Amino acid sequence: QVQLQEFGGGLVQAGGSLRLSCAASGRFFRINVMGWYRQAPGLQRELVATIPTSGRTNYADSVKGRFTISRDNAKNTVYLQMDSLNPEDTAVYYCNADVLLRNGGIAVNYWGQGTQVTISS
């Protein structure tokens, strides 16, 4: 079983910064794409950013230039540096990973439990 554990959520003022991290644990062969999603109250969960093993990043338009996703493959960890935060960024942020459980197998998708990010105006 694979577990994703997020860290780093909290309450900050508009214009501030937060850094989220997500560490994968368990038995697996390799983690393919890692990413962050978020869900605000009353809204659907939306993509924030993704990063495959190649490191080629993808961002939602709403966070481009403000958020930076990175990963440490040796630590099976993905990070999300969030700068210039505004109240519209308030949401529960979820870590996501496509995990190859064994060599030659198919990837299985996993979610973290989520971490609350609240931006005050």
Side-chain angles (χ1 to χ4, degrees):
Q1 183 72 3
V2 176
Q3 292 186 329
L4 302 177
Q5 180 67 54
E6 298 113 332
F7 302 92
L11 170 66
V12 296
Q13 289 187 330
S17 298
L18 276 176
R19 179 177 168 89
L20 305 181
S21 62
C22 170
S25 61
R27 295 187 65 180
F28 50 87
F29 176 70
R30 185 181 67 232
I31 301 176
N32 292 338
V33 181
M34 302 189 81
W36 290 94
Y37 291 72
R38 67 186 181 185
Q39 187 168 18
L43 299 180
Q44 290 187 332
R45 191 172 298 187
E46 63 176 3
L47 179 145
V48 175
T50 59
I51 182 168
T53 52
S54 66
R56 187 180 181 93
T57 56
N58 178 54
Y59 295 95
D61 288 341
S62 59
V63 306
K64 282 180 180 177
R66 300 188 298 121
F67 291 11
T68 303
I69 188 170
S70 60
R71 63 188 286 173
D72 184 333
N73 292 326
K75 296 181 179 180
N76 297 313
T77 298
V78 62
Y79 305 95
L80 185 68
Q81 178 65 40
M82 305 185 293
D83 298 318
S84 302
L85 287 161
N86 58 62
E88 289 71 36
D89 295 316
T90 295
V92 177
Y93 283 69
Y94 295 91
C95 177
N96 180 269
D98 277 342
V99 182
L100 203 59
L101 299 180
R102 60 180 177 85
N103 191 12
I106 60 172
V108 179
N109 191 257
Y110 290 91
W111 292 94
Q113 81 287 352
T115 186
Q116 178 69 46
V117 172
T118 303
I119 313 303
S120 63
S121 57

